[in-house]
Amino acid sequence: MELVAEMDGFDMSSFTPMFCELNSFESVRSFVDELKEFKAAKPVDRLICNAAVYQPSLPYAKWSVDGHEQQMQINFLSHFLMTSLLLDDLAQADDPRCIYVGSVTGNDNTVGGGGVYPIADLKELDGLKLGAKNPISMFDGYNFDGAKAYKENARLAARPAKETECACFV
């Protein structure tokens, strides 16, 4: 991170890079603990979840250390965990914002999402209801498809919290 900052002319005193491996819930929890210690009494007023992996040609599911399909964990579950762990802190800010950045591929009404197969279709979230752990690799509970897995994550992140029975947005 320091090298990138130097190459792009960023002043290292204006930001603090912190490590977070979204393929591990333990790393997400450690990141949140480190962030809370670093920021002291200042509340977090902005949380932007904008990390993802895209493995459209992957013929089989790859699993995280926590037993979830990697795209599912990195692109959605770890963001949800981080948001959940920071929600009370966000609520202390004057004008808090939590933003999940998705992809056009999750929309079924766009060229990227609706015109390119496979279409993201979460069905009734059966895979999530069954725990979304190995051997369940898709939120809809169907067989693994790398391109569809990415689209499902984008689509789920774009759904209002009430639709997914999640209370994670401030």
Side-chain angles (χ1 to χ4, degrees), residues 46-111:
R46 301 292 185 269
L47 177 61
I48 302 171
C49 296
N50 183 32
V53 294
Y54 180 46
Q55 301 168 325
S57 60
L58 195 65
Y60 55 86
K62 289 174 66 176
W63 304 98
S64 72
V65 296
D66 300 299
H68 300 283
E69 190 275 323
Q70 282 186 352
Q71 292 179 96
M72 181 187 291
Q73 180 158 341
I74 293 168
N75 300 358
F76 182 74
L77 295 174
S78 285
H79 289 143
F80 185 83
L81 173 61
M82 185 183 297
T83 303
S84 297
L85 295 172
L86 291 170
L87 195 59
D88 288 341
D89 199 80
L90 280 161
Q92 301 303 312
D94 290 334
D95 186 30
R97 294 285 183 267
C98 179
I99 301 163
Y100 278 51
V101 178
S103 165
V104 69
T105 62
N107 299 334
D108 58 8
N109 63 347
T110 65
V111 172

Side-chain angles (χ1 to χ4, degrees), residues 30-46:
S30 293
F31 168 79
V32 169
D33 290 343
E34 183 181 350
L35 175 63
K36 287 182 177 183
E37 184 177 321
F38 171 79
K39 69 172 192 61
K42 297 178 289 188
V44 172
D45 64 350
R46 301 292 185 269

